[in-house]
Structure formats: C-alpha cells, structure tokens
Amino acid sequence: MEAKAETAANTINIDGQEIPFEHGQTIMDAAFAAGVYIPHLCHRPGLTPHGSCKLCTVDIRNRISASSTSDRRRQTKFTVDADSRSVSACTTPAAAGQQISSNTPALNEVRKTITQMLFIEGNHLCPSCEKSGDCTLQAVAYHLGMLDGHFPQFFPRREVDASHPTVMLDRDRCILCELCVRASREVDGKNVFAIAGRGTAAHLIVNSPSGKLADSDLETGDMAVHICPVGAILIKEQGYEVPIGRRTFDLHHLGEAGLEKVVLAKTVYRDE
Amino acid sequence: MSPAIRTASSEQLSAFIANTCSKSSHLLHVLHELQHRFLHISPEAVIEVASFLDLPPSQVESAVEFYSFFSTVPHGRFDILLSNCTSCGYTANGQDLLQLLCDRLHVLTGKTRDDGLVSVDETSCIGMCDHGASLLVNGRPVTGLDAVKIMRIAELIETGTPFENWPAEWFDISDSIRKIGLLLSEDITAGNGLRESLMRGIDGTLEEITQSGLRGRGGAGFSTGMKWKFCAEAEGSAHYVICNADEGEPGTFKDRILLQSHADAIFEGMTTCAYAIGAELGFLYLRGEYRYLSPHLEAVLARRRVQGLLGSSILGRSGFNFDIEIVVGAGAYICGEESALIESLEGKRGVPRNRPPFPVTHGYLGQPTVLNNVETFVAAAHIAQNGSAWFRTTGTMKSPGSKLLSVSGDCAYPGIYEYPFGVSIKQVLDDCGAEDVQAVQIGGPAGTLIGRSGYKRIIGFEDLSTGGSFMVFGRKRDLLDIIVNFSRFFAHESCGFCTPCRVGTTLLKNAMNKIAKGQGTQYDLDEMERIGTLIKRRSHCGLGQTAANPILNGLQRFPQIFRQRLARGDFEPSFDLDAALEEARQITHRDDAAAHLE
Amino acid sequence: MEQNPQSPSDTASKSGLRRVAIDPVSRVEGHGKITLMLDAENHIHEARFHIVEFRGFEKFIQGRPYWEVPFFVQRLCGICPVSHQLAAAKAVDQLVGVENLTPTATKLRRMLHFGQVLQSHALHFFHLSSPDLLFGFGSDPKLRNIVGMLEKYPDLALKGVKLRKYGQQIIAAIAGKRIHGTATVPGGVNKALSLAEREILLADIDDILMWSQDAVMLNEQIHTAHAEHRGFAAINSNFLSMIGRGGELELYHGGLRARRSDGSRLFDQFDYRGYQQIIREEVRPWSYMKFPYLIELGRQQGWYRVGPLARVNNCDFISTPLAEAARKRFREFGNGDSVQDTLAYHWARMIEALHCAESIQDLLHDPDIAGTDLVADLGDKRREGIGVIEAPRGTLFHHYQIDEQGLIEKANLIVSTTSNNQAMNESVRSVANEYLDGNEISEGLLNHLEVAVRAYDPCLSCATHALGKMPLQVELLDANGTLLDRLSKGGNGRIERAA
Amino acid sequence: MNKIRIATTSLAGCFGCHMSFLDMDERLVELLEHVEFDRSPLTDIKHCGPCDIGLIEGGLCNADNLHVLREFRANCRILIAVGACAINGGVPAMRNHFDLRSCLEESFLNGIGVENPQIPDDVELPLLLDKVRPIHEAVRIDYYLPGCPPSADEFLSVLGDLLAGRIPALPKKLIHYD
C-alpha cells in the first residue's frame, strides 16, 4: 500500500517543516528523529505504540490516497472536517506527502483538555507527591500551560500496593498509559502488569496469584519499575532525594532533545 | 433451575473447571459456566482457570472485570437484569419497573439480597425492543413486562419456583416480521449458494460478491467483495471468517431474528466467504444477551455438518475444509467494534486495536480475517445463490439491495421491516403506525436524532447509513430523558482505553444529569458541546467518535429541550450542596437551619 | 497562686443563661468563634473558643508511605511548615533506625528551623500584632494593620518585613523553596549548603541581629511601660516546653520540662517518646480542637501553655549572649518567677527571634554547615516513631506507627495551638469578665477579645489552618435566642451597632 | 489614582498561599501604592465589600467555606483561585479517600490518648461536607494561580497584568503545581 509513496520524496510535512522518514516509521518516530516534539504520555521509543492517551493527536490534511484498506470509511465517517482527519502520531504510519498540523493553538488546546481529563479522573495531588518535578504528566501540563483541572474532580478511591519489598504501586496517580504493562512484557520478558475493568473503573492490576506485587516476579531493576511517567510506580523508601531546583523538570523542558532518556535514568539508587 | 451449591471447596472448584475447560477452552465460555454455577467468579477460580488454560491470572482477572455479565461478588440464585433501553427498558411504558421489582423483593439495585436468593440490576439494551419492557433472568429473556407481570415474577422468585414451572409463553420470543423484502421473502436452501459458488470458483465468487455492490450492513458500508478480496490476497498462516452477531446498539434486534430463523443463510454466507478467502475456521460471536439462542445455532451447525456443508471436503470438494464455532460474549457493547470483537474472541478485554493494520491483514491471532455483520453474510449467501444482478434489482446506485430495519418505540407495529435502500423515514413511519412523532433516532444512540424536517431523508449509505436501529419517539416522550439515557449508556460502555472517551463520556453523563435535574446553565451546555466535539474527533474508535452524537444532535436540532430545563443565572455548582452535608447531619444528628445549604 | 478553675460545664446552653456569639473570630478567619454564656447577673458562666475547622488528618494519612509523611504533613500549616516537616522527619529517623544524624545534617536542620522560627516570629509580631500594640487596642481599625504600619512606622515595619524575608531565605537555601520545600530525607537532608549560598546569607546577618535586638527592646518597652498590659487576659497556667540538656532554651531537640503554675517543676528532661504517659487529650462537643492536659495534674488542673512564654519561662538560660541578656531582663520583670502575663508572649517571642538570629550567625560560621556528608547510615527498621520539636507557637508532637510494608497505620498529632486551647479559653473568659458591661457589648470587648487570642496565636493554622485578624460579630442573645444586642464590623472596618 | 481593592481569604487551606503573597517582601510596599485591602487576614474587616479582585486560598470542606466563597463571588469583580487546594482540593482532599464518619471517628473516638470520646456535634460548629472540593465546583472562577503555594512572583505577575488592564498571562516558567 505504501509502494506508491516510495517514488515520491519520503517526507512528511509537520507545521510547514519537511521531515524525512523511513519506511515503517510512524509520524511520531519521524518527528522524534527530526527533533520535533509532539506531546505524548503513553509513548516511549522502543515499546509498541499504544495510542491511548491521545496527547499526540494531530490533524492530517489532504492525505494522499494510498490506503485502501477496509475501514477507511468508518474512520472518515465521523470526521467533522472532511478536509482533515485526526490521528494519533504514535500509531499512524508516516506516508509521503502527509500535511500534518501539530503545534497549533487549537491542537494544543485539545491536548490541554485531554491532560485536564487525566488530572481530574485520578487523584493527582502534586504538592506532596514525590514525583513532582520529575513527573511527565506534570511537565506535559506545564508545557501546555494548564493552570487547573477545569472539570469536576472524580476523586476515585484506589488501592495502594506496598507489599513488594522495594517497589510500590500508588494507583491514585495511574493514568492507564500501560507503559509498565508493555515494558514488562516487551523488555523485561515478564508479564507483571495488566489493565482490568472498563471505562472509568479501568485500573492497573498485578499478575500474581494474590494480585499483590509481592507475589509477582517484579524486580527493582526491571524497566517496568522505572518507566512510569507519573508517581504510580515508585521505588520504596526513597523520594524527595533530589532537591527542588535540581529535579528533571526544574532543569529541563519537555521536548528538549534527549529528555526522554533523562527521565528514564532519573531514579536514584541509594544502596548502590 | 438454580444450582444449590454456591460455595465450593477448592477440590470441587478445580474439578468443575477441569471439566468445563475440557468441553470448551474458550475463556469466555469457562467464565460463563463458572458464573452460572457459582453465581460469581472468585479469586481462587481466577487462579484455577488461568492455570488450566495456561493464561496469566491477570488476563483472566481483567476479563472478569471487563464484562458486565461476570462478577467477583456472588449474585442471587435468581439473577435479574432489566434492560434500560429506551425501547425495551424498564421505564419504557412510563412506570419504573426496576424500582417496583426491587421494592417488591426488598432488594437494592445492584446488590444481592442477604439470603442470596435474588439480585436485581439494570443492563444495556437486550435487543427485545419489539416486545416492550424486558429482562434477563439467569440469562433468559422475559418480555412484555408490566406491573402485573413484575409482581408475578417477584412471587415466583420468592417461592423459589424453578423456571420450568414459570409460564412457558413468557420465554417465547416471536419474530414480529412486519415487512419482507429481498432477503426475507425467500429462504435459502441449505447448500444452494455454496454449490453456485463452487461452480463460479474462488475468483468468480469474489467477483460476484463485488459486482453485487454489497456493502457492510453494520453501518460502516465497506464493500464486502473488496474486503474479501483483500483478505484472500493477504498472506498468513491461516485465514479466518468471523460473523459479528454482537448487535449491541440499543434499538436493534434484526440479527436476533436472522439468528433465530435464518441461521442457515448466515452459515452459508460464512462458508461462502471461507471458500473465497481460504479459511478453515470461522466464529460466530454471539452477544451474551442472545446466549439463549446458542443451542438452536449449535443444532443448525450440527445439521450442516451432517449435510456435508461444514467440516472436511465440503460438498465433496477436496481441500475445502471449514467449520464454525460459536463464542458467546458477556455484556460489552464495545465488542461490536470489529477489532474489540477480535480481542474478545482471543479471550481478552474487548479493547479496540490500533488500525492500521486492519483485520483483513492482521485479524484473529494476527492472521487475515474477514469480519462481517450477520445481515451481510445473509445477503452474501443470497447473492451466491441468486447472483449479483438479482441483488442489484433493488436499492439505489450507491446502496444496492435491501436493509432490515428494527423499528421500535412509539409506534403501533414495532418489528422488523425489510426495505429496499432509499426508503424515506416518512415511509417507514407511515408503515409502522407511528403517529404524532416528535423525533426518530436512526442507528441507535451512536446514530443520529432526526426531527420532522428530516423525515424526507432516506436510508442508504448516501444519506443515513445505519445498522438498522430505528427508534420512534412520540410527542409524549421527554427527549431530554432519552438523551440522558443515551449518555449513561456510553459512559457505561466505554472500554476505558483512550482518555477522551473514558473521561469524556462520564463528563457528558454527569453534565446531562445536571441539566435533567434543572441544575444546569448555559455554561454546562457550552461545556457539553466543547467536550462532545473533542471526544467525537479525538477518540480511538467508533464508540467514542459517536458517543457525543445524541447530545450534539440534541443541542443542534432540539435546543429548546435543554433550555427549558436550565436554572437561572450563569453558573450552578457541579454538586448538590445540601446533599453534601447529609452525611454530617446523620453523624451529628443535626437538622437545624445551619445544617443545610441551598 | 491558684490555677483558674475549669469551665463548669460543656453541655449546651442552660436555661437562664444568655449566649454571646463572636462569629467568626477574626485573624482566625472564620475558623474559630467565641461564645459566652452569661447568667442573670451578667457574669460569665462559660467561655468557649470554638475551633470550627476539621481536616481528618489522622485518618487520611493512613495507608500513605512513611517517607512521604514530612512533605505531606507540612501542608497542615503554611506558616510553620518547616516545623511540621522536621517533627515528622525526626519520627521518620526513628522508623529507619537512625539515632544520630551527621554533624552537617544536624546543623542544616537546626539552621532550617531557626530560619522558620525567625520568619514566623517576625510575621507574628510585625505583620499581625504590632498594630494593636503600637496603635492601641482601641485605635481605628482601618489603620490597625500592616498597611497602616508601613505608612505610620515605615522603618519599623520594613525591618519586620526584612526579618521575615531573611528567615524565608534561610529556608529556601536549605529546603529549595520558601514554603513547602523539601529538605529532609530519612536519616538526613537532601541538599548541602553551597559556599555561595552561605556568603549571601552572611552578608545580611549583622543587620538581622541588630533589628532583632531592636525588636526585643521595643517589646520590652511596650510591656513594661503599659501597666494595663500586665494583667490583661491574665491567667495562671502550667507551662510545657522542650529544654536543652543543660537546661537551656532549646527549639530543635531535647527533653520535656513542665512547671506548675506556681513555678515548681512537674517533670524535667522527660524523653518525649513517652509523651503518652504525660498527656491526654479531651474531646468536647463544641470544638473540633481537642483539649490536652497533663495526666499527673488531672483534667481540671492539668491544662498548660506552650510557646515562647512557656519556653522563656521554663529554660534556665539561653545559649546565645544577646538573647540571654534579654532573658535576664525578662526574668527580672517577673521578679524571678514565671511571667504569666499573656501579652508577655510577644516579648518572649522577640527574645527567641534574637536567639535564632544569633544561632544562625554561629551556624553560618561553623565549618560543618557547608559539609557534604548528608545522610547517616540507616539502621534496623522500627514500627513506631515519635518526633517532637518546638514550633514557633509551641511544642509539636508527631507520632506515627507503620505496618510491615512501610505504610502508616496510626498517626497522632498534638499541634502547638491545641496545647494552648484551654488557655485561650481561659484568657477569653478573663477578658470577657473584665470588659463585658451589662447588657451591652462594648467595642472594647470586641477589640480586647481579639488581642487576647492573638497573643497566643493569631495563626491557628496548625490546628485550624487559619490566620488573620478577627472580623468580629458579637451577638448578645437571651436564653430564648432573642437578639439583645449586636456589634459588627462592616466592609469599611468600622464597628457598627445593629439597630 | 484610585487604588485597586483586593480581598483575600483562606478556606480549607494552610495559609501558605497568604504567606507566599507576603514573600514579595519589600515589593509589598510598592504594591500598596496601587492596591488596598478589603477583607483579608491583613485587615480587620469582617465581610467582603465590593472589590476588584478576590483571592481565594483553600478548597471547600465545610458549610462556612461555602458561605464565605459566595460572599466573595458576589462582591469581587474578578475572583482568583489561588493554590493547589482551591484548584483541586489539594492535600485536604486526601480525606476523600475515606468516609467522613471514619475521619471523625479516628480523631475523636479512636485516636491515641483521647479522653471523653465523642464526635463534636455542637450547633456552633459548621457541618462538614462529605468531600473536600475545589472552589470552581461551587462558583464561577475567573483565573487560576497554581502552585503549593504559588510563588510571590506569580502573584506579582498576575496582579501586574490586572493593574495594567491586561488579561493575565502567566509565563510558563512560573507555572508549577508543587
């Protein structure tokens, strides 16, 4: 289906900037390689794209008619503006000639609203959270200029699991991005996490006989432990060790090249 | 009816699960059996099932928690679910039958009575819209409810009367076909279409289906022939055919009639498809609400196997091997979405996949898969038997053939109407005896709400495409209540995968409740429009993309029904102030003036 | 001297009594209110200072991890957050089995706390109480605030602003920000003080010392010069405070000392981890704030005062010279006995501020302060930790029990203002007795009730999360609830009598 | 020149936001040339009169909070939610994890060292709401000033904009939630 595109220059256009891509890359991949930041929370290079948070939503205009697969109509059927369609940059393959809007006031407003939804459906009390300053959700909200949660708070009651000797799960802060789910399966070669329930009752569960972390095969060094973009999965008995002013997002802004790696490597190990 | 043993020793549990798994290793089936036998699925059962089926416990647990018909806490020996649909729901005739039943049985909605005898809850539309208010008792539908019948049911439950001794006619679900057309006017002779196809050959069959102009009857309308072709061309270790019998859209019930009375046509269509794409296995994914049809469908399959229409070397054609399994869902509207259905079929939560890739290349187990609607397969079987030219004699240029409409609501003759595509709303309204109509909901809550000015519009892919739900709302209906009902439906059925739909549908539901209680203002209307537009455009799948339709349509076409409920002023609190003090009043036993807020 | 007797009854209004409600008490910003019950002769039958705010902290902390606690609890009070953080951190140190911090960590925490007490004391006096004392209790309320001070006494007011600023800067240098920062980690602190930061702080310390001395002198003059200040809101109370090993004034760590109202010692150098043996808290139905008392003296007589007055009275000496000299003059004023004057709180407060300034100076010159050995080796885990500190307004108890997973199972806090609860009630009663005149609520009553509560704690934040001058409305009702008289302050700050 | 009239209050907050306001230190003097205070912890005024700007710290946890908030909304042309608690309930909202009754019972019945256990129920006490809530759920809010607390620079930035007649726009570098 992409064969036709090979003949044209392999570039996509994001907000007026021509960006090269390689076959198999998503819009997000291509943007990332070119240093163009598209806000996202559930995406991390190297893991299977997920497309659930919808922060990376972009609009594609006048798409070249390359795809002819079955459900295209179903896709476009609900589109308000016939001239453009909304896709997730992290899951949509880059295709030659795509004219993409991303960093526009309208789209950033959409992203801000989605971020507000994430804040109000959980219990995101930044003031006392040890992830403050290192939290990607918080940083995305800063990036988008979010000042408040806007919507009525859901104030759900969710469980803490501190049964594991070194790792703690605080579901209040979980945003259901499933990064831990994927990291455990795809990188750690385990299957520690999953999502259960549906709708607003969806929640993170642990794959163990008791449903507790202690009975899972999770280990401190697992990627799943360190990939959480919020303060839902934490190393126990540490926190607040990096002084205010020196935390990741005290020093960096989202979208800086290489920042993703900074975030991943942040965790401090005292007993090393 | 209800088995007596509700708590089981671990040996009993283990033995039961071993036995069940040996009959069918499909996770949903095992869970259905457990739920039926033990009235809930305990954490021990989850571990045991995971171990027998070699699945991660988390996968079993997540499935248990995802599907409405499974529960982790024990339900009653009589487990009653009343439909909350606007057509077959418990308030459809203006009386709250749910409350009546709960009061009568002294049970709270959603709770199991202390003695374990009964539990009563509500559920999304159960597809009985042509039969009035309806419920499921231990999975079996009872229709035509009214206060008298509810009282009688309560009595039978209180006396512990087994089903066999309930009035048999309660369980008869008649077809109520009101108008027959291209498909319903003649029945298919089992095997005829297949024989024609074998004569045409694979390419010929694909060509015939493509030439017919048949488009998907689920509402999306993709060319069936093209879909089959893409799948046939796609490489994979196996190809699959799936029939989507998960008609969950409130107000639609035409598949129920097809499943009950035209099963041969469905299976014939599936087998034709299997022949065309080279599939050896097919599935019919039956919605949990239609589980009662399963024995009948299994019987038809068994007969077709005997007739040589399924199994090895079908109709003697060496290498043409195909069989069909029935998998029963468990109460999740989202599973009508094709990729969510496939996930469910794989024993997982019904969460829609990212597309591309599409099922035609990466479907069941990642292999090329054709997934079509029940009605599509029926049409395909007819086309195979009678040819594409025959099919094109009816309908319009863009929408050849006929469409089955499930007509319900405020009309004299609810039921199934088969029309050539191109029929106008007005025609349908005239035929079904609808008088003094306020609005029509085409395509269910996910579809569109149409007022008088739209009655000249036609059913067809060029105008109003629909899976078949056609709900009539008379003057006496409170349209706002209908929209509240629909917004609750979507919040309940959102799978929770993507943020806009997961959070947005609940925000819309809450906002609609606020408006309905007379506590909304223009601010809330503006908010609903803004959120609605966002989730329509930014959601992951069709559910989210259509979930705001009732509200957006309502605001656009019936603004007065919202405005007349608005509170004065420009802002009202998001919560009920005085109710927020109730807990404190109870704790302190205070009821003085300062103990209240307005 | 006799301890004032306990209020006779906690039951609801009795027949024949009249109710006077002050609602809300200002500078307590709607979180507190006063009701007086009068008998037929217009004698005060009961005086109640209600705390109307409730947080439920002891419950909602349950299930939270212990290492989060210091940052979680400091949100109880934005005025003395550091004190809460440190009290909790001291409890956490016990949970992780740390007896002694590194010298650098100890000194950084101490300096952090001196910064806290300095800024809070400066705020308490200059921003909130000095207008009463300098303009007079009965002065124009429009003027009687920090804005008026900045206009009328700009130099003095600005010094107060800068004293507070300096305390906040100390906090920011150690905790990362002025309010609700992070400094402590289990067994230590998270940040060393850089040499550059030390230089900046050293640059101003001489001015700070000078202004602190000025503040002590000013208070000394005010208190000694105004005879009416001495007996104001007078009560005789027991005193409780922390004390250093040598009997010196101690704000960060030491044993507990209690004196009876006659000045005799009840106990001394008591290990605060055994606080349950000496203190219980009584619940009364008309306040969300409990009433602690010393078990040995019983419910009726065991109530006590904490805070600057208690500390300066209780200690044998102060370790820094300027503050010690000031303490001696304070002591002379009391003729060697404890000073019971409620308004002497302000004087004692400024003596402590001076001590803080001196201590900060010493610490800034201490080589350890810029050290980098920040965290002690952790020892064996324990399931219970009790941290106590002298917060600006008094002794602050934090008590935590954790489960084997490290989550809080049980928590108890006795915050400074709670300890003063009964004392404030007594002072309110004393003032009411003195200034209530027949059936009429006088403007004087209003103002003086404000001043009394404000002496203890215009900030009831720890207990009630409140601060502020008292917007007052006093109502005089008869036993049937009929309004006899009402005085209120309008939007313009003027006091008006209802028709 | 007429001064801008400002009222401030704290509901279910810790007064940290008010403290942070004072953290503008000497800049307060300059600000006072342009503003004057109505009801505020800094003044003796009980009821909020007509004001240009109302600053609200803290969320809603009891009936009194709501009365005060409404008074501010009725009198302030511009109402600003200040700090985490006003904006999303903040740390006090952690009690929403529990029933109100269990919170009261823990403090007054089951607490360590509790004497005379009973849940205070006097009519003088305002009743508690079942949940602690952000203030924008009860009244219309014009602007939000995030942070726990917002820094003095944030206050100055917003007040500066308002004094100059501009729509307030917070520089992104000043936005923080902790």
Side-chain angles (χ1 to χ4, degrees), chain C residues 67-258:
Chain C
W67 60 95
E68 188 185 77
V69 166
F71 312 100
F72 182 69
V73 298
Q74 68 178 339
R75 265 80 190 182
L76 290 174
C77 174
I79 301 165
C80 58
V82 166
S83 302
H84 283 284
Q85 185 184 143
L86 287 173
K90 287 171 75 170
V92 167
D93 291 343
Q94 290 162 34
L95 296 176
V96 298
V98 172
E99 291 291 338
N100 296 302
L101 303 185
T102 66
T104 296
T106 303
K107 287 169 185 177
L108 282 171
R109 283 198 191 178
R110 290 186 79 96
M111 190 160 90
L112 177 65
H113 197 230
F114 287 129
Q116 164 66 63
V117 176
L118 178 63
Q119 73 84 11
S120 175
H121 280 4
L123 170 88
H124 194 143
F125 177 70
F126 289 98
H127 294 71
L128 299 170
S129 293
S130 69
D132 295 329
L133 302 175
L134 292 173
F135 292 124
F137 299 172
S139 60
D140 179 3
K142 229 180 155 183
L143 194 64
R144 202 177 54 201
N145 53 48
I146 182 65
V147 180
M149 284 287 294
L150 281 163
E151 281 167 14
K152 187 87 184 289
Y153 304 102
D155 289 350
L156 182 70
L158 212 53
K159 279 179 195 170
V161 167
K162 286 178 179 172
L163 272 176
R164 178 177 176 278
K165 176 187 179 184
Y166 187 77
Q168 293 288 71
Q169 285 174 328
I170 296 272
I171 293 169
I174 297 170
K177 66 201 239 283
R178 287 174 161 208
I179 298 161
H180 300 328
T182 66
T184 64
V185 290
V189 294
N190 68 9
K191 177 180 169 296
L193 189 69
S194 71
L195 291 174
E197 286 164 334
R198 187 171 74 161
E199 286 313 307
I200 290 169
L201 294 171
L202 273 171
D204 291 330
I205 189 65
D206 291 338
D207 284 344
I208 297 303
L209 270 172
M210 196 165 66
W211 297 335
S212 302
Q213 283 177 273
D214 293 349
V216 174
M217 290 308 294
L218 177 64
N219 270 279
E220 198 173 316
Q221 284 163 12
I222 292 172
H223 197 75
T224 52
H226 291 78
E228 72 273 21
H229 283 195
R230 291 180 211 152
F232 180 79
I235 52 172
N236 279 316
S237 75
N238 310 302
F239 288 114
L240 176 76
S241 74
M242 192 177 267
I243 208 83
R245 198 160 287 170
E248 74 274 23
L249 177 74
E250 175 59 51
L251 298 173
Y252 181 73
H253 190 67
L256 295 178
R257 173 182 284 180

Side-chain angles (χ1 to χ4, degrees), chain A residues 9-26:
Chain A
N10 271 351
T11 62
I12 57 176
N13 183 301
I14 302 182
D15 297 329
Q17 185 183 346
E18 287 294 320
I19 288 170
F21 72 95
E22 289 167 19
H23 179 74
Q25 282 190 319
T26 61

Side-chain angles (χ1 to χ4, degrees), chain A residues 167 179-185 187-188 192-193 218-228 233:
Chain A
V167 181
L179 279 171
C180 59
V181 176
R182 286 172 281 156
S184 185
R185 285 177 193 164
V187 180
D188 302 332
V192 174
F193 297 107
L218 187 72
E219 292 168 289
T220 317
D222 290 352
M223 191 185 195
V225 173
H226 303 286
I227 201 167
C228 183
I233 301 177

Side-chain angles (χ1 to χ4, degrees), chain B residues 44 85 127 139-140 169 277 306-307 334 362 371 385 441 516 550:
Chain B
E44 298 75 34
C85 163
R140 298 193 53 184
E169 66 273 19
I277 67 168
V306 171
Q307 291 174 313
I334 187 63
H362 297 75
L371 193 151
Q385 178 176 293
Q441 183 79 26

Side-chain angles (χ1 to χ4, degrees), chain D residues 44-93:
Chain D
D44 271 4
I45 300 168
K46 173 186 174 170
H47 288 292
C48 179
C51 282
D52 300 295
I53 300 168
L55 301 173
I56 311 270
E57 171 193 340
L60 297 166
C61 85
N62 66 26
D64 270 6
N65 292 157
L66 191 79
H67 296 312
V68 174
L69 179 61
R70 281 177 164 171
E71 181 183 292
F72 268 69
R73 179 68 273 177
N75 284 289
C76 300
R77 208 161 48 79
I78 294 168
L79 203 57
I80 305 181
V82 176
C85 301
I87 289 171
N88 75 358
V91 168

Side-chain angles (χ1 to χ4, degrees), chain C residues 147 150-151, chain D residues 1-7 21 24 26-38 51-53 77 155-156 158-165:
Chain C
V147 180
L150 281 163
E151 281 167 14
Chain D
M1 178 185 124
N2 277 342
K3 288 187 175 183
I4 298 283
R5 195 160 175 83
I6 297 181
F21 187 92
M24 58 180 75
E26 302 96 310
R27 292 177 290 179
L28 190 60
V29 179
E30 193 189 327
L31 182 70
L32 288 172
E33 289 171 16
H34 306 289
V35 309
E36 60 187 359
F37 286 96
D38 194 277
C51 282
D52 300 295
I53 300 168
R77 208 161 48 79
F155 283 106
L156 283 168
V158 166
L159 292 178
D161 282 342
L162 290 171
L163 283 168

Side-chain angles (χ1 to χ4, degrees), chain C residues 162-413:
Chain C
K162 286 178 179 172
L163 272 176
R164 178 177 176 278
K165 176 187 179 184
Y166 187 77
Q168 293 288 71
Q169 285 174 328
I170 296 272
I171 293 169
I174 297 170
K177 66 201 239 283
R178 287 174 161 208
I179 298 161
H180 300 328
T182 66
T184 64
V185 290
V189 294
N190 68 9
K191 177 180 169 296
L193 189 69
S194 71
L195 291 174
E197 286 164 334
R198 187 171 74 161
E199 286 313 307
I200 290 169
L201 294 171
L202 273 171
D204 291 330
I205 189 65
D206 291 338
D207 284 344
I208 297 303
L209 270 172
M210 196 165 66
W211 297 335
S212 302
Q213 283 177 273
D214 293 349
V216 174
M217 290 308 294
L218 177 64
N219 270 279
E220 198 173 316
Q221 284 163 12
I222 292 172
H223 197 75
T224 52
H226 291 78
E228 72 273 21
H229 283 195
R230 291 180 211 152
F232 180 79
I235 52 172
N236 279 316
S237 75
N238 310 302
F239 288 114
L240 176 76
S241 74
M242 192 177 267
I243 208 83
R245 198 160 287 170
E248 74 274 23
L249 177 74
E250 175 59 51
L251 298 173
Y252 181 73
H253 190 67
L256 295 178
R257 173 182 284 180
R259 274 188 211 276
R260 296 186 187 85
S261 53
D262 63 5
S264 63
R265 280 186 198 170
L266 185 65
F267 50 75
D268 199 9
Q269 298 295 351
F270 185 86
D271 184 342
Y272 58 64
R273 285 173 294 184
Y275 83 100
Q276 288 180 77
Q277 298 159 34
I278 55 171
I279 297 174
R280 283 183 69 80
E281 293 182 87
E282 186 193 349
V283 182
R284 298 186 196 165
W286 45 267
S287 182
Y288 285 126
M289 188 157 77
K290 289 178 269 196
F291 293 80
Y293 63 91
L294 298 167
I295 292 170
E296 197 175 331
L297 298 180
R299 250 164 88 174
Q300 298 296 316
Q301 303 292 324
W303 59 272
Y304 55 92
R305 286 195 278 190
V306 297
L309 187 65
R311 289 189 291 245
V312 173
N313 272 326
N314 253 359
C315 72
D316 302 327
F317 68 99
I318 296 177
S319 60
T320 54
L322 298 174
E324 171 60 7
R327 187 195 70 87
K328 282 184 172 148
R329 293 196 298 277
F330 182 86
R331 202 72 189 164
E332 283 162 21
F333 172 77
N335 296 320
D337 288 333
S338 293
V339 177
Q340 291 277 6
D341 301 356
T342 297
L343 285 180
Y345 257 105
H346 296 302
W347 185 0
R349 188 170 286 127
M350 288 303 103
I351 294 172
E352 289 190 338
L354 177 58
H355 170 62
C356 291
E358 288 181 284
S359 302
I360 289 167
Q361 186 183 38
D362 291 347
L363 284 169
L364 285 172
H365 285 110
D366 188 321
D368 282 341
I369 202 72
T372 54
D373 188 7
L374 302 178
V375 183
D377 292 336
L378 305 191
D380 292 336
K381 285 277 165 50
R382 282 178 235 164
R383 298 280 287 273
E384 186 165 44
I386 297 171
V388 175
I389 201 166
E390 283 294 334
R393 284 159 194 81
T395 319
L396 170 64
F397 299 79
H398 279 226
H399 180 183
Y400 303 102
Q401 291 166 359
I402 59 174
D403 64 16
E404 71 282 356
Q405 298 177 352
L407 304 182
I408 303 288
E409 261 180 348
K410 192 93 179 159
N412 189 36
L413 260 67

